[in-house]
Amino acid sequence: MQIQELADPGLLQRMHAAGFRALYVGMEAASAGVRRRLGKGVCPAPMAETLSRAMQMGFVVRASVGVGWPDETEGEMEETLALVRSLPDLAIDAFRYTPLPGAPLTTYWARGAGMGDAAAIRFDPYSDYSEFSRNHSRIPDERLDGIWNALQDLERARHEVYFRPDQP
């Protein structure tokens, strides 16, 4: 589900009553500007409060969180890191932006990279598209690498808690 859907307490109540106990959230980034560029919509309530409310209701929440979006600033990335750090019970799946064929953001990226048509990235069922996983943000590579490493460290630490073999 998308983060803005979690902001509806009524929806969460109905889901809880129906037996849902785990949610996977497409958070992507904490910055409203990045989310707007991604076409992800704006969360009507502060994201930390929205995610906390769901966890306080007893949901296990896992979120996709990315960095290195086209034109993303260091401040926007730091905002995402700060949000994740403020929610120690939030499980995350971290990723670096990679342009993918057919994705709307790929067209934005391709135009910004001077490639014109996004068809420069063609669908290939055998490709992981990692050849396009370079820095697409507005910050130097070493700064992006530092933020990326911090996000990966958080992901590993949280996965160790959620996926321990001794957990029921």
Side-chain angles (χ1 to χ4, degrees):
M1 67 189 317
Q2 296 299 317
I3 190 77
Q4 61 269 24
E5 295 169 318
L6 281 184
D8 178 356
L11 176 61
L12 286 178
Q13 290 290 346
R14 290 188 302 279
M15 290 176 72
H16 198 273
F20 288 83
R21 293 300 181 266
L23 304 172
Y24 194 85
V25 179
M27 186 176 98
E28 280 50 86
S31 161
V34 171
R35 290 185 54 74
R36 205 172 9 266
R37 289 193 300 274
L38 295 176
K40 291 293 182 175
V42 177
C43 187
M47 247 191 246
E49 289 177 25
T50 299
L51 291 162
S52 291
R53 181 182 328 110
M55 289 185 281
Q56 289 167 1
M57 289 178 69
F59 289 102
V60 173
V61 180
R62 188 169 176 179
S64 61
V65 180
V67 292
W69 302 104
D71 296 330
E72 187 176 23
T73 66
E74 187 170 357
E76 289 169 326
M77 289 181 216
E78 292 290 350
E79 187 179 343
T80 298
L81 270 178
L83 175 64
V84 171
R85 286 179 175 138
S86 75
L87 298 165
D89 293 331
L90 178 67
I92 64 166
D93 293 319
F95 61 92
R96 262 178 98 146
Y97 169 69
T98 300
L100 299 173
L105 190 57
T106 300
T107 301
Y108 174 85
W109 164 78
R111 287 184 187 142
M115 296 172 70
D117 187 359
I121 302 176
R122 300 204 187 283
F123 175 74
D124 175 358
Y126 303 104
S127 179
D128 67 2
Y129 302 99
S130 59
E131 68 268 25
F132 298 106
S133 289
R134 57 190 174 276
N135 188 351
H136 302 287
S137 70
R138 291 185 179 181
I139 70 171
D141 288 346
E142 63 275 359
R143 292 297 304 141
L144 175 59
D145 290 344
I147 292 169
W148 170 238
N149 290 334
L151 189 60
Q152 283 186 304
D153 289 345
L154 288 167
E155 176 187 47
R156 276 189 291 278
R158 304 221 178 145
H159 282 199
E160 286 175 9
V161 170
Y162 281 94
F163 301 114
R164 285 195 337 232
D166 61 332
Q167 292 285 341

